[in-house]
Amino acid sequence: MTAKKHVAKSGKQQNRSARSQMVHGQPITAAWNFSRHLIPPITSNTTYRLDSLDRGARGFMQFGSDESKNKEQILIYDRLDEPNTLLLEEQLSLLEGSEAAVTFGSGMGAISATLLSVLKSGQKIVAHRNLYGCTYSLLTDWLPRFGIESNFVDVTCKEHRQLLNDKTVRVLYFECVSNPSLDLADLPAIMKDVRQINKGRSESDRIIVIVDNTFATPWALRPLEWGIDIVVHSLTKNIGGFGVEMGGAAMCAKKFERSLKLARKDFGAILNPKSAWHVTVHGIPTLAVRFERQQRNAMAVARFLEKHPKVERVLYPGLKSHPQYALARKMLRTPEGEFAPGTMISFVLKGDMGRCRKFVDHVAKNSYSITLAVSLGLTKTLIEVPGYMTHSAIPKDKLAGSGIDPRMIRLSLGIEDERDLIADLDAAFRSL
Ligand SMILES: Cc1ncc(COP(=O)(O)O)c(C=O)c1O
């Protein structure tokens, strides 16, 4: 299957490139009148003046429903809809090529509300074994309390196929580029399997494929083009880009929008308008230039690590040695068609955990351009050890089964000069 080109364009931005759309968004929007402002103002307000009971009632009726299409937007209360988040949602839809986007207060807010909006007690999730640590604990610690169980498989080895035949499986969940092992999910092959199984199922029990596209970002991969149902993101990472605001989003077809908005309304994980403003005004317009620079650094650092005699293994989809290099070249493409292997590297040093600790501590204490910190996708380069930090929710005896070497070191590349990054790493190697 080839990827379906998306982006329903209308009005002034017709035939504009994705790069320009990220800077300008929708020039005319129901969410804000741009005839005076170049940059939309930050809104700071929780409730809205309603000039009649009828208008209030209509607002509630229209909320999240198809009813609101082509009608005047009636704002009621910020937990329902809000101008800055509506603007961001329009921009995210353009970016990901989706009919709808719903924002949340964090990536985990988006993931939990999305799963709860499509699942009910007695249904199951089949998930890739390598997942962000808090997603793993959501699936293993929390959802079982509501009667939703998860089975972990290796989707890169097609282990999901057998399990999907179980009628109680409602969701297939994975990260397109997994955290931290950088496994790539073969979206066209997986969707072929799912379509085959869904042929025999009714709409209410068909398998819904939900993917986390945080590592790739929509600049490198647009999963909806391959037929994925719902894409979730942590906006805290590359899309926000500067490490100053938290946020999350789900992008999908219109038919999922209402339940996502209702889940957001009732679970309450709304995005702060100031955070929405930051992502709209600073994050998305600079995503392409930041990503390109970070990726250039990632390529240079990955090549340096690959040649280093003290390194056992480097995982980076831009290296020919990556086990899924051919798949990476097929799927990880910018809207302009360039290969986009991304901004993240994982690697393992030769030797035991003691050596890993010594290396990372040396970086933490001595590096100028690399900081020991969680999170990723920022302008500053960050280093961490997933097995002991971001993925510590995974019990130590289950790490190997999740595809994580406890000694694995994860690097999120920033926009610094690559020579400074390599000098800092080199100094840490020489300390061993
Ligand atoms: C792949 C991935 N998804 C989701 C999240 C959660 O995002 P947030 O921290 O914004 O809740 C993270 C956080 O690191 C992540 O790495």
Side-chain angles (χ1 to χ4, degrees):
M1 184 198 164
T2 50
K4 242 192 283 152
K5 285 289 167 215
H6 62 256
V7 189
K9 295 171 192 135
S10 65
K12 269 195 182 174
Q13 95 273 12
Q14 201 149 28
N15 300 326
R16 298 293 183 216
S17 68
R19 195 180 282 269
S20 301
Q21 287 185 42
M22 283 157 66
V23 177
H24 294 288
Q26 301 269 22
I28 300 185
T29 161
W32 195 266
N33 179 352
F34 278 94
S35 61
R36 297 266 183 264
H37 294 90
L38 176 65
I39 302 296
I42 302 179
T43 50
S44 182
N45 165 62
T46 56
T47 192
Y48 296 80
R49 188 191 296 272
L50 295 160
D51 52 12
S52 68
L53 174 57
D54 181 52
R55 184 177 155 87
R58 263 189 298 127
F60 276 100
M61 280 250 299
Q62 283 179 25
F63 169 68
S65 77
D66 269 358
E67 292 266 296
S68 59
K69 236 195 276 172
N70 305 325
K71 289 201 177 149
E72 179 206 5
Q73 175 92 42
I74 301 176
L75 294 172
I76 299 168
Y77 187 58
D78 270 8
R79 191 155 36 73
L80 278 64
D81 269 322
E82 187 281 334
N84 279 155
T85 50
L86 284 167
L87 266 179
L88 173 60
E89 286 162 0
E90 279 184 0
Q91 188 74 332
L92 290 169
S93 289
L94 278 178
L95 194 60
E96 192 78 59
S98 62
E99 288 174 0
V102 181
T103 54
F104 294 88
S106 67
M108 288 316 301
I111 294 167
S112 53
T114 301
L115 289 172
L116 289 167
S117 74
V118 299
L119 282 156
K120 54 184 188 216
S121 178
Q123 293 182 323
K124 290 191 190 123
I125 301 173
V126 171
H128 183 51
R129 62 184 192 141
N130 190 234
L131 288 179
Y132 170 54
C134 296
T135 307
Y136 178 88
S137 48
L138 173 70
L139 267 52
T140 54
D141 292 344
W142 293 100
L143 294 184
R145 302 182 194 196
F146 304 100
I148 299 163
E149 299 290 338
S150 293
N151 287 309
F152 295 93
V153 296
D154 187 346
V155 299
T156 68
C157 299
K158 307 188 185 345
E159 284 176 8
H160 56 280
R161 279 185 170 167
Q162 204 94 46
L163 290 176
L164 294 187
N165 284 315
D166 174 351
K167 281 266 190 226
T168 60
V169 171
R170 176 68 162 154
V171 167
L172 175 61
Y173 185 94
F174 53 88
E175 293 163 1
C176 299
V177 180
S178 74
N179 182 2
S181 303
L182 300 155
D183 297 341
L184 301 186
D186 187 341
L187 303 187
I190 290 171
M191 289 316 294
K192 196 168 162 208
D193 296 338
V194 171
R195 266 194 297 275
Q196 192 59 32
I197 288 164
N198 276 345
K199 267 189 198 157
R201 295 198 182 195
S202 65
E203 183 61 25
S204 60
D205 63 6
R206 64 181 277 274
I207 292 163
I208 297 172
V209 184
I210 304 175
V211 300
D212 181 332
N213 196 29
T214 301
F215 265 35
T217 83
W219 188 246
L221 176 65
R222 292 148 307 280
L224 298 172
E225 290 178 356
W226 299 100
I228 298 299
D229 293 297
I230 307 180
V231 180
V232 290
H233 275 283
S234 166
L235 301 175
T236 318
K237 310 291 158 36
N238 246 313
I239 297 181
F242 295 89
V244 292
E245 305 287 349
M246 298 207 69
M251 281 82 117
C252 54
K254 198 82 189 156
K255 65 178 175 185
F256 296 110
E257 184 185 24
R258 180 173 156 74
S259 57
L260 282 168
K261 285 204 168 183
L262 291 173
R264 181 178 67 181
K265 171 177 79 71
D266 294 343
F267 291 112
I270 56 162
L271 182 63
N272 185 317
K274 178 173 156 275
S275 308
W277 179 88
H278 162 77
V279 179
T280 307
V281 172
H282 300 139
I284 295 176
T286 59
L287 174 61
V289 283
R290 284 186 285 107
F291 196 93
E292 283 162 348
R293 177 70 202 202
Q294 289 166 257
Q295 182 171 267
R296 195 177 104 183
N297 285 347
M299 198 70 219
V301 169
R303 285 192 177 127
F304 165 77
L305 291 171
E306 193 175 38
K307 281 200 224 108
H308 204 286
K310 291 180 181 163
V311 173
E312 185 178 295
R313 197 153 47 100
V314 184
L315 293 165
Y316 179 60
L319 292 178
K320 289 202 172 105
S321 58
H322 188 282
Q324 295 166 296
Y325 180 68
L327 181 63
R329 287 202 69 93
K330 174 173 163 185
M331 272 186 356
L332 300 176
R333 295 269 164 191
T334 70
E336 296 164 354
E338 295 294 318
F339 180 39
T343 64
M344 302 295 298
I345 301 173
S346 290
F347 65 104
V348 178
L349 300 182
K350 286 179 186 162
D352 60 7
M353 192 57 216
R355 258 167 101 76
C356 163
R357 184 173 291 111
K358 198 168 172 204
F359 179 88
V360 173
D361 283 346
H362 188 281
V363 172
K365 292 197 177 76
N366 302 290
S367 287
Y368 173 71
S369 50
I370 307 178
T371 309
L372 175 63
V374 299
S375 204
L376 57 108
L378 310 185
T379 47
K380 290 175 189 267
T381 294
L382 307 178
I383 195 168
E384 67 121 3
V385 180
Y388 289 83
M389 297 173 69
T390 48
H391 292 66
S392 55
I394 304 173
K396 289 284 168 283
D397 61 331
K398 295 217 159 60
L399 274 180
S402 297
I404 302 173
D405 186 321
R407 299 168 303 155
M408 183 180 278
I409 299 171
R410 194 187 76 180
L411 269 176
S412 166
L413 279 300
I415 61 171
E416 304 89 344
D417 186 319
E418 67 200 47
R419 290 169 298 186
D420 290 326
L421 299 171
I422 289 173
D424 281 340
L425 290 170
D426 191 46
F429 278 123
R430 277 190 275 110
S431 78
L432 294 180

